[in-house]
Amino acid sequence: MLDVFLVQMDCGNFDKVRKLLAKANLQKNGLIILPEMFATGYIPKNPADYAEDFSCAAAGNTAHFLSELANETGCTVMGAGIGKGADGKLTNHSSAYQPGQTSEFASYNKVHPFFPELGEFESGADVSLFEINEWNVSSVICYDLRFPELFRSAVKKGAQLITVQAAWPKVRIEHWETLLKARAIENQVYIAAVNAVSAGENSNVDEKNRLGGTSMIITPQGEVISRGSCNCEEVVHNSLDISSLISYRKAFPVLNGIV
């Protein structure tokens, strides 16, 4: 079993993450997932001012926090922020830290930057695959959800769980729900998707920029087994059973010849 905790939150400081998790029934060896650019919001003015090195806990403030949180909770922690590529261009970066480790455990750079990101953010090369508690996991970020070939690439690599970290607007939340279910069904994978939400001081932002929450955990059959609200900060949790995924793929082998 793998316990997954989606921290649905407005952008804020690191203490907010700790306060939200303090209300959750955390289990050690779980997976905690934070939204896209959770500490800065999407996208801050002058994003280069917020670019960080995520390679080790001593390299940047966000990396240090992720490492600390992993040690405090006994869970793998996935955060997302603004990284810097080898050529100096910015990357929309997802970073994972594990308890007792001071180096980044796994990482991913958003392959499909959203239109406003173009020119400032470079595209990542491909999805990556990493293992947590015998689960093969891949991660994508927000706008990547609209590109099914990226999810299929993850499944071809062996993904059984795909995480989605997002800052998805409420005006297109039906797209969010529909596409997440489709990606789970067509690839026979679990989906754990955390979205930022406009709450608190940002609850009165205009509709175009309001973030829609509705974080979800979805089975390979497309069943939503956990769902967040569209307007509240909260932790969405469920326990995932890898044996049911394996059994389902054998019983309905649509991926034969693909994986």
Side-chain angles (χ1 to χ4, degrees):
M1 300 293 287
L2 177 65
D3 284 286
V4 176
F5 302 90
L6 308 179
V7 185
Q8 178 174 294
M9 60 180 286
D10 203 340
C11 65
N13 56 38
F14 300 147
D15 286 340
K16 178 183 285 190
V17 177
R18 288 190 169 99
K19 288 177 181 177
L20 286 168
L21 287 171
K23 302 175 184 178
N25 183 25
L26 282 180
Q27 305 293 321
K28 287 188 176 181
N29 299 315
L31 174 62
I32 296 170
I33 312 174
L34 306 174
E36 180 181 22
M37 297 186 188
F38 73 97
T40 63
Y42 179 89
I43 293 174
K45 291 183 179 179
N46 304 314
D49 294 342
Y50 297 88
E52 298 182 62
D53 183 348
F54 288 84
S55 62
C56 67
N61 289 336
T62 303
H64 179 69
F65 167 71
L66 298 177
S67 179
E68 274 195 337
L69 190 62
N71 290 332
E72 291 167 10
T73 61
C75 295
T76 299
V77 179
M78 291 181 63
I82 301 172
K84 187 172 289 188
D87 59 0
K89 279 199 171 185
L90 305 180
T91 59
N92 192 327
H93 187 79
S94 176
S95 178
Y97 273 81
Q98 290 194 310
Q101 296 186 8
T102 57
S103 295
E104 187 178 51
F105 165 66
S107 65
Y108 167 74
N109 289 324
K110 190 175 184 180
V111 170
H112 298 285
F114 190 55
F115 302 123
E117 296 177 62
L118 297 178
E120 292 190 88
F121 288 76
E122 67 178 359
S123 299
D126 197 3
V127 290
S128 58
L129 188 75
F130 52 97
E131 186 176 314
I132 301 174
N133 297 0
E134 300 182 349
W135 284 77
N136 293 327
V137 183
S138 283
S139 57
V140 301
I141 299 176
C142 204
Y143 192 56
D144 285 332
L145 180 57
R146 293 186 178 275
F147 298 85
E149 67 276 6
L150 192 63
F151 286 73
R152 184 51 54 89
S153 176
V155 172
K156 286 181 177 180
K157 289 177 182 288
Q160 298 155 324
L161 167 65
I162 299 178
T163 68
V164 184
Q165 295 164 276
W168 196 281
K170 189 175 181 180
V171 293
R172 291 190 291 276
I173 207 67
E174 288 189 8
H175 295 190
W176 165 259
E177 296 189 43
T178 301
L179 292 172
L180 286 172
K181 290 178 185 178
R183 300 294 166 261
I185 293 167
E186 67 197 4
N187 293 295
Q188 295 187 320
V189 291
Y190 280 98
I191 297 286
V194 60
N195 190 26
V197 64
S198 294
E201 294 180 0
N202 291 324
S203 61
N204 295 318
V205 298
D206 63 83
E207 285 301 311
K208 180 181 178 182
N209 295 312
R210 182 185 296 275
L211 300 177
T214 320
S215 300
M216 295 192 290
I217 299 174
I218 306 172
T219 71
Q221 294 93 330
E223 178 188 0
V224 179
I225 55 175
S226 294
R227 178 194 296 266
S229 73
C230 64
N231 54 17
C232 293
E233 295 182 310
E234 59 186 307
V235 177
V236 177
H237 162 252
N238 216 308
S239 299
L240 308 186
D241 180 9
I242 198 167
S243 64
S244 66
L245 177 146
I246 294 170
S247 297
Y248 179 58
R249 285 185 174 181
K250 287 182 179 178
F252 191 44
V254 299
L255 296 177
N256 276 4
I258 298 173
V259 299

